[in-house]
Amino acid sequence: MGVSSAKQPTHLASSSRWLNPLFKIGHEQKLKQDDMYSVFPEDRSQRLGEELQGYWDQEVLRAKTYKREPCLMKAIIKCYWKSCLVLGIFTFLENFLLLDEIPQVSTQLPSEGEVMVDMQDFTAFWDEESETPTLQGLSFTVRPGELLAVVGPMGAGRSSLLRTMLG
């Protein structure tokens, strides 16, 4: 019924080796007949269809036993979960190990004199009738190259501060 676990790693590793370059060719230019590869016997649609049919038949029997509707998704997952997991691991490793070194981003150090945002003892009311301000006594200065993080629990006024700064 299923693909033997001994075949999966070799098969999946070789399929990702031919499939990824095919995607690259197709991205750069329109694929031609000569660009295509022959399919492995274990990847032919006849074999894959028969394998899925076997899992579907099992799912139908299980559904009758437990008096529920059969679920195609369960059959698909039971049929292909191992090969998808192994392929995912190979793909992750291939992409992770082949990544070019990420260039170092040069960060701009904060300047001493230049100021982008300066708020001193800021107070805001969103409701004209309210006696309690939404924001009160807020002070901060942000210079080029600095990062300001506004943290606090829900209802503390983070969104209100952002709306005030954006006008």
Side-chain angles (χ1 to χ4, degrees):
M1 275 286 166
V3 178
S4 70
S5 59
K7 280 187 174 180
Q8 285 177 338
T10 305
H11 158 65
L12 290 172
S14 61
S15 69
S16 67
R17 267 186 260 140
W18 69 263
L19 191 56
N20 289 343
L22 187 62
F23 284 142
K24 289 176 185 173
I25 293 169
H27 180 71
E28 294 170 2
Q29 66 185 21
K30 189 172 182 171
L31 289 174
K32 296 176 273 189
Q33 186 70 29
D34 294 342
D35 295 328
M36 304 303 287
Y37 296 89
S38 296
V39 177
F40 291 119
E42 58 267 23
D43 288 338
R44 298 195 187 277
S45 60
Q46 175 73 30
R47 183 185 170 282
L48 295 174
E50 289 170 356
E51 185 177 2
L52 182 56
Q53 182 65 51
Y55 281 97
W56 175 247
D57 293 342
Q58 288 177 7
E59 173 59 20
V60 169
L61 289 174
R62 212 173 286 114
K64 283 182 186 177
T65 302
Y66 293 107
K67 296 180 173 76
R68 62 171 174 80
E69 290 292 316
C71 178
L72 179 60
M73 183 59 69
K74 286 184 179 183
I76 291 171
I77 290 171
K78 286 183 180 181
C79 185
Y80 299 114
W81 77 269
K82 290 177 188 173
S83 58
C84 288
L85 176 67
V86 172
L87 181 58
I89 291 170
F90 278 130
T91 302
F92 170 77
L93 290 174
E94 179 181 46
N95 291 332
F96 179 76
L97 295 175
L98 296 179
L99 282 177
D100 292 331
E101 186 176 321
I102 299 173
Q104 183 68 25
V105 177
S106 64
T107 57
Q108 179 183 359
L109 295 175
S111 63
E112 290 299 318
E114 195 176 352
V115 174
M116 291 185 71
V117 178
D118 185 30
M119 287 196 158
Q120 300 300 320
D121 199 26
F122 178 76
T123 301
F125 292 84
W126 295 126
D127 184 0
E128 293 177 12
E129 298 173 11
S130 175
E131 294 181 18
T132 307
T134 306
L135 299 170
Q136 181 177 6
L138 186 64
S139 298
F140 63 90
T141 302
V142 181
R143 292 181 177 83
E146 287 184 328
L147 176 66
L148 173 67
V150 180
V151 296
M154 187 166 63
R158 297 181 317 262
S159 298
S160 298
L161 174 62
L162 183 60
R163 279 192 301 243
T164 301
M165 290 174 61
L166 295 176

